Amino acid sequence: ALFMITLGIIISTLTVTSANHWLTAWLGLELNMISILPVITKQKHPRSTEAATKYFLTQAMASALMLFSSTLNAWQTGSWDITQLNNKLSCILMISALTMKMGAAPAHFWLPEVLQGSTLTTTLLITTWQKIAPITLLYMISNHIQSNILLPIGLLSILVGGWGGINQTQLRKMMAYSSIAHLGWTMAVISIAPNIALTNIFIYMTVSTPFFLLLTSSSSKTLQTMTTTWAHAPTATIIMMLLLLSMAGLPPLTGFTPKLLILDKLVMHKLTPAATTMAILSLLSLTFYLRTTYLLASTTSPTTTQSTTLWRLKPNYYQITTILTPIALFNITILPALLT
C-alpha cells in the first residue's frame, strides 16, 4: 500500500510538471490529492481526520476553480494549452486556484491546521513536494501574469507568514507560517523573474527538508521540547540552528542568496517600495527564527545527561540529511554563477 501511495504521489506530480494540456494538469493534481489523503489519515486520531478533511475540501475547491478557469479560457480563445492563458479573467481565477493549492495568503488558512494534525514526515511532504505541481503551473503561465496582481499576494503572504509565526509554540504551525512567507517571496517575483522564483522555492525545500528530518529524529514538536535537544544531540542541534538561520535569510548562508536576487530584480524593475516593504516584513520571520535558534543553542536543559552515547541519533535519515545540509548552508558562492 505504501509503495502504491508513494508511486501515486510521484507520478501525479510528474504528470502536472510535464503536462501541456489543462485537463492533464488537472487530472495530475486530483490524483496527487487522492494519493496524499491516506498519508495524512495514517494516524488513527480525530485531529488527522480533521486535517485530511480540511485538505480535501480546500484542494477540491481549488481544483474546481482551476477547471472553470481553463474551460473559460478554452471557450474564449479555443486553446487548452497551459502556456496560452490569454483570457484576463481566466488568468485571475487560475492565480486564485493555484494560490489556494499552495497555501499562500489570503487562501492560507488551511495550511497551519492541516500541518498541525499531521506527522512531521507528512508535514515535510506537504510543505515541499506538494508545492512543486502548483509552482510549475504558475511558472508556465508567468508570462501572462501582471506583477500588480502577484506582488500584493506576495507581500501579504510575507506579512501573514511573519505575523502568524511569531505567536506559535508548536513547531509544525511555525513551519507552516514559514512556508507561507517563503511562498510570498516566490509569488512576488515569479511574473518578473520566474527562474529566480523557482530558485527561491527549491532552496527553501533544500533547507527545510534536513530541518524536518532532524526534528523527526529528535521527536521535537514544540519549542519547549527543543530546549532539551542540546543534551541529547549537540551535533544535530548546531545543524538545526544553522538551518534556521539559513531559512531566515542571514548571510553567508544559502537562504540569503535568493532573497538578495529577488530584491535586486525588484529594484531593477523600479519596484523599490515593494522591495523595501518585503525586506522590512521579513524581520517578522527573523524574530521567530532567532527565538527558536536561541532556545536551541543558548538554553541548556537542567537535566544534562551523563551518558556519552545518548546524543547519537537513530540513523533513519542520515543519508538525506548529510547530502542536503551542506547545500542548504554553503552554496552561496556558486549560485549566482548558475543563474547568469
Side-chain angles (χ1 to χ4, degrees):
L2 183 66
F3 173 74
M4 289 304 292
I5 289 166
T6 312
L7 198 67
I9 291 169
I10 293 167
I11 287 174
S12 58
T13 305
L14 293 177
T15 306
V16 178
T17 51
S18 58
N20 199 27
H21 195 286
W22 275 117
L23 284 181
T24 320
W26 174 79
L27 197 69
L29 285 166
E30 288 296 297
L31 179 61
N32 187 270
M33 178 184 69
I34 292 161
S35 302
I36 202 165
L37 285 175
V39 182
I40 302 172
T41 50
K42 196 173 75 171
Q43 285 180 298
K44 299 291 179 282
H45 194 274
R47 288 208 71 160
S48 55
T49 314
E50 184 190 333
T53 311
K54 284 176 179 172
Y55 186 82
F56 171 75
L57 291 172
T58 318
Q59 299 296 316
M61 208 153 77
S63 289
L65 196 58
M66 184 182 153
L67 199 59
F68 174 64
S69 164
S70 52
T71 311
L72 184 68
N73 185 66
W75 181 41
Q76 292 291 323
T77 64
S79 170
W80 282 98
D81 196 317
I82 291 178
T83 53
Q84 301 298 316
L85 197 70
N86 296 320
N87 187 290
K88 205 167 184 181
L89 178 61
S90 292
C91 204
I92 293 165
L93 287 172
M94 189 58 72
I95 291 165
S96 310
L98 294 174
T99 302
M100 200 185 287
K101 281 243 171 242
M102 286 184 286
H108 66 282
F109 295 101
W110 62 273
L111 190 62
E113 298 299 322
V114 169
L115 295 198
Q116 188 54 35
S118 315
T119 61
L120 280 164
T121 323
T122 313
T123 307
L124 167 65
L125 191 66
I126 295 170
T127 48
T128 56
W129 185 265
Q130 292 299 98
K131 300 270 187 285
I132 295 173
I135 285 279
T136 308
L137 290 175
L138 204 59
Y139 178 81
M140 287 167 84
I141 63 166
S142 59
N143 58 336
H144 293 291
I145 306 169
Q146 292 170 322
S147 60
N148 61 359
I149 298 170
L150 278 185
L151 207 55
I153 293 175
L155 288 167
L156 185 63
S157 294
I158 298 167
L159 173 65
V160 166
W163 205 250
I166 282 180
N167 206 25
Q168 297 303 327
T169 54
Q170 294 285 338
L171 284 172
R172 283 167 293 183
K173 276 196 175 179
M174 193 182 87
M175 292 309 292
Y177 283 108
S178 160
S179 169
I180 293 165
H182 278 88
L183 276 174
W185 283 85
T186 305
M187 299 283 274
V189 82
I190 201 159
S191 59
I192 298 161
N195 290 345
I196 290 174
L198 277 194
T199 307
N200 179 55
I201 204 73
F202 282 118
I203 284 180
Y204 166 69
M205 289 176 190
T206 312
V207 177
S208 62
T209 303
F211 182 73
F212 270 116
L213 294 177
L214 287 168
L215 283 182
T216 312
S217 299
S218 59
S219 303
S220 301
K221 290 190 177 71
T222 61
L223 288 177
Q224 194 179 359
T225 51
M226 278 191 105
T227 56
T228 60
T229 52
W230 182 261
H232 294 292
T235 322
T237 309
I238 291 165
I239 293 169
M240 280 159 84
M241 180 187 80
L242 289 168
L243 288 169
L244 276 167
L245 293 176
S246 184
M247 256 187 249
L250 294 182
L253 304 167
T254 305
F256 171 68
T257 314
K259 285 187 168 62
L260 179 69
L261 292 168
I262 288 168
L263 293 176
D264 178 50
K265 278 288 172 195
L266 289 171
V267 171
M268 277 171 67
H269 282 78
K270 296 185 171 56
L271 292 165
T272 314
T276 313
T277 313
M278 284 166 73
I280 292 167
L281 289 177
S282 67
L283 294 174
L284 290 167
S285 301
L286 182 65
T287 309
F288 65 79
Y289 287 127
L290 285 179
R291 183 185 60 190
T292 316
T293 308
Y294 172 75
L295 284 173
L296 265 173
S298 305
T299 54
T300 314
S301 165
T303 53
T304 16
T305 176
Q306 299 303 311
S307 168
T308 51
T309 55
L310 200 62
W311 64 269
R312 295 178 192 278
L313 294 171
K314 299 184 287 293
N316 300 354
Y317 310 109
Y318 265 177
Q319 294 85 353
I320 307 171
T321 314
T322 313
I323 293 163
L324 290 179
T325 303
I327 303 169
L329 297 178
F330 306 115
N331 81 341
I332 188 165
T333 46
I334 56 165
L335 217 111
L338 292 174
L339 288 169
T340 48

